[in-house]
Each structure stands twice: as C-alpha cells, then as structure tokens.
Amino acid sequence: DNKRGLVQEGGTGPVDIRDQDGLKVFNPHMNAKLHIVTGTGTTADDATTTTITDLVPAGSIVLCGEVAVETASAGGSSVNITAVGVTGDTDAFGGNMALDLNTAGGSNILSPTALMPVARDGSDSAVSVIVTHGDVGTQSTDAVVRVSLFCATADTTGYTLG
C-alpha cells in the first residue's frame, strides 16, 4: 500500500535511512530531499587549494559536513588544511582549522557560517567546494581529501501520488 507513508512504532533510538538517494518529502506544491553528497580531490604539487568540482547540488543548502584526509601528502611540505568553502567564500563551511594534511585519517566537522547567503546555497547550478591548505611543495604521494556534506534540496515541481 503506497499511501501509508512512514509508519513507525514508538520507542527509543535512531531512525536509519539506508537509501543512497536520502530522505524525500513530497507534497503537491513542493518536493524536498535531505541527502549526503561526498566527493574527493587530489592535491596538486605546489598548490594551496584543492577543488572538488560541483559537489553541492543545484538548489541545495548545506546544513553540516566533514572534511577528512584520505591519503596523506608525503615528500613535500608539512601543512594543514585551514578552511573549507566555495569560490568567493573560502571559509563558508569551516575556517580557523588546523587539520594535518600529512596524516591520513584525520577529520574535522564543518558547520556553515550561514544557511542562505547569496552565491553559496540554493544556487541555480552545482557549486564546487574549495579546501584551503598550505603550499604542499613537491609531493612523492599526492594528498587526497574527502568532503561530505549534508544537504537539503528543494524542487518546486510538486508530486502527486498515483
């Protein structure tokens, strides 16, 4: 029966949603989706930023996230990740951090400085994420950073249950 909606008995503990597409909420006037997007970027030699292209989906606002070092930079300079953001607001999701880019497994929680600033959230097109760090120099092993963002995305097309 597809007209029952979410049915849950009372109790304690979390509600797990194990769907790659996230939680979708439909009504006749607007749809909304809560979901997590994840992307990785490889740090180029002598770079001070790493870009993860088009990570934030069009029409989304970022609620929170995480930046993590998947592969440590080796052979170059010892540097830290200092900020995560977007073009024009490079610390939009986190600044004043000191996450070691030379140690794999480290991570930092991201919290947007505002939910609805112009040109960052709710954009008409996908938005790239920029991870700022010190100059890595010439690496023997390129660093790989991962950014995961919890997003809310709206769609005004509406949905009718069939």
Side-chain angles (χ1 to χ4, degrees):
D1 180 1
N2 68 356
K3 296 180 182 180
R4 291 185 66 186
L6 177 65
V7 177
Q8 180 180 346
E9 292 183 24
T12 61
V15 175
D16 292 337
I17 299 171
R18 297 174 190 259
D19 183 346
Q20 198 167 3
D21 292 329
L23 173 66
K24 297 177 184 176
V25 179
F26 301 105
N27 93 15
H29 308 290
M30 185 179 120
N31 300 332
K33 178 169 73 167
L34 295 174
H35 54 117
I36 297 172
V37 294
T38 298
T40 58
T42 301
T43 302
D45 285 350
D46 300 314
T48 57
T49 61
T50 300
T51 300
I52 302 171
T53 304
D54 294 344
L55 182 60
V56 182
S60 295
I61 58 172
V62 175
L63 303 175
C64 61
E66 176 196 36
V67 59
V69 178
E70 287 205 341
T71 303
S73 173
S77 304
S78 294
V79 297
N80 289 325
I81 293 173
T82 56
V84 179
V86 296
T87 302
D89 193 353
T90 57
D91 64 352
F93 306 139
N96 299 320
M97 65 179 78
L99 177 59
D100 187 355
L101 192 57
N102 304 97
T103 303
S107 66
N108 204 46
I109 297 297
L110 303 174
S111 178
T113 54
L115 288 180
M116 293 297 284
V118 175
R120 181 170 77 223
D121 294 270
S123 175
D124 290 339
S125 58
V127 177
S128 297
V129 171
I130 298 170
V131 178
T132 303
H133 45 76
D135 185 338
V136 294
T138 303
Q139 306 167 95
S140 56
T141 302
D142 293 345
V144 176
V145 295
R146 182 190 75 234
V147 174
S148 297
L149 301 172
F150 183 56
C151 299
T153 305
D155 175 4
T156 58
T157 58
Y159 178 80
T160 304
L161 288 174

